[in-house]
């Protein structure tokens, strides 16, 4: 695109003999096309994920950050279709992780959709920076809303070409999120209290997935995060989860490829007794 813009700026569209080899209009059209192609589009992200569901999203919290590019490449070779990045600020949750530079570094390694889970007190302050860093989906917590107007961040994230959703902790009444669900591309149902990897799965998440799926229909993407492993993955899918975030059950295993294969098997072996999980 830059070459085309340079051509347009310099009107270098004729050869040494004065023959026109590229009309300025055509060059401008190509430049427009190229710029549109590189623009973010949340609909494309959503379509990709809907077609691939159920999708396992490795939570990079436990990956080997010393070899980030290799970790991403390994996961991609093993068939992973999207990544989940946990951003914690030490205020909204009692733990700190990473911010925009890591999202940017991962963006440089892969074309896979990057799902950024903001566990931060003021998501509105930083959402644009995360979109610019390369996020394709952003979820922020319903517990951070100080007024219903704060939920307008959903539309503002979407206007930047990024899919937008709300996350809800198990200890937060589900009623708190319901008024905003129809404005979400995805809802992140936490199956642990946000803040740390390696916690035990809270089955209240299964009831919530069932409830959201029956109330809001098939188009809403439902994501589940926390304690998803060989025992719980199938139940999550049976309850309606499209996106399954997995940390320990991949990164604490000796072989990522095998761990992912086992998870997919367990998701296919959908358990039928999830109508009432608690
Ligand atoms: C918890 C994070 C999760 C976590 C998942 O606050 O949002 O993404 O890393 O890790 P596991 O699968 O180990 O619970
Ligand atoms: Zn997460």
């Amino acid at each position: 695109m830059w070459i085309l813009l340079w051509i347009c700026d310099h009107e270098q569209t004729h050869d040494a003999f004065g023959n026109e080899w590229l009309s300025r209009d055509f060059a401008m059209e190509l430049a427009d096309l190229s710029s549109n192609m590189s623009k973010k589009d949340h609909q494309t992200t959503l379509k990709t994920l809907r077609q691939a569901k159920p999708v396992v999203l490795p939570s990079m919290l436990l990956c080997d950050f010393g070899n980030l590019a290799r970790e991403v490449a390994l996961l991609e070779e093993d068939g992973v279709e999207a990544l989940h990045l946990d951003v914690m600020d030490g205020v909204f949750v009692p733990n700190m992780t990473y911010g925009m530079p890591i999202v940017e570094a991962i963006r440089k390694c892969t074309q896979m959709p990057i799902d950024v889970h903001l566990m931060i007190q003021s998501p509105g302050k930083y959402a644009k920076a995360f979109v610019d860093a390369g996020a394709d989906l952003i979820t922020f917590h319903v517990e951070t809303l100080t007024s219903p107007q704060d939920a307008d961040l959903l539309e503002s994230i979407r206007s930047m070409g990024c899919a937008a959703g709300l996350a809800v902790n198990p200890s937060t009444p589900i009623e708190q999120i319901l008024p905003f669900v129809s404005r979400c591309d995805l809802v992140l149902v936490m199956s642990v209290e946000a803040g740390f990897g390696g916690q035990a799965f809270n089955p209240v998440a299964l009831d919530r997935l069932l409830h959201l799926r029956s109330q809001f229909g098939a188009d809403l993407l439902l994501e589940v995060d926390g304690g998803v492993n060989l025992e719980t993955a199938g139940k999550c899918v049976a309850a309606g989860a499209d996106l399954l975030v997995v940390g320990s059950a991949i990164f604490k295993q000796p072989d990522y490829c095998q761990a992912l294969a086992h998870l997919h098997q367990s998701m296919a072996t959908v358990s039928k007794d999830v109508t009432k999980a608690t």
Side-chain angles (χ1 to χ4, degrees), residues 57-62 84-88 93 95 117 119 141 169 188 190-201 224-229 245-250 252:
L57 292 91
S59 154
M60 301 303 282
L61 201 56
L62 297 174
H84 180 88
L85 303 190
D86 290 301
V87 176
M88 306 187 193
V93 288
N95 192 12
H117 176 191
M119 287 163 272
H141 272 258
N169 274 330
L188 171 47
M190 293 301 297
S191 32
V192 299
E193 285 302 306
F196 298 92
Q199 303 181 69
F201 184 87
V224 61
D225 184 2
V228 178
N229 55 30
V245 178
V246 183
S248 314
I250 296 174
K252 293 228 164 131

Side-chain angles (χ1 to χ4, degrees), residues 39-46 49 103 107 113-118 126-140 152-165 183-186 221:
K39 263 187 204 152
K40 270 184 179 296
D41 171 14
H42 75 282
Q43 289 296 359
T44 308
T45 307
L46 294 172
L49 292 172
V103 178
R107 176 77 293 158
I114 295 180
D115 170 35
V116 174
H117 176 191
L118 293 180
Y126 299 99
K128 183 177 182 313
F130 281 101
V131 176
D132 292 344
D136 298 294
L137 303 99
I138 291 185
T139 49
F140 56 100
D152 296 350
L153 181 57
L154 289 164
E155 284 79 20
S156 98
I157 291 172
R158 202 173 297 121
S159 74
M160 295 184 261
C162 191
R183 295 164 59 187
C184 293
D185 297 312
L186 74 155
L221 279 175

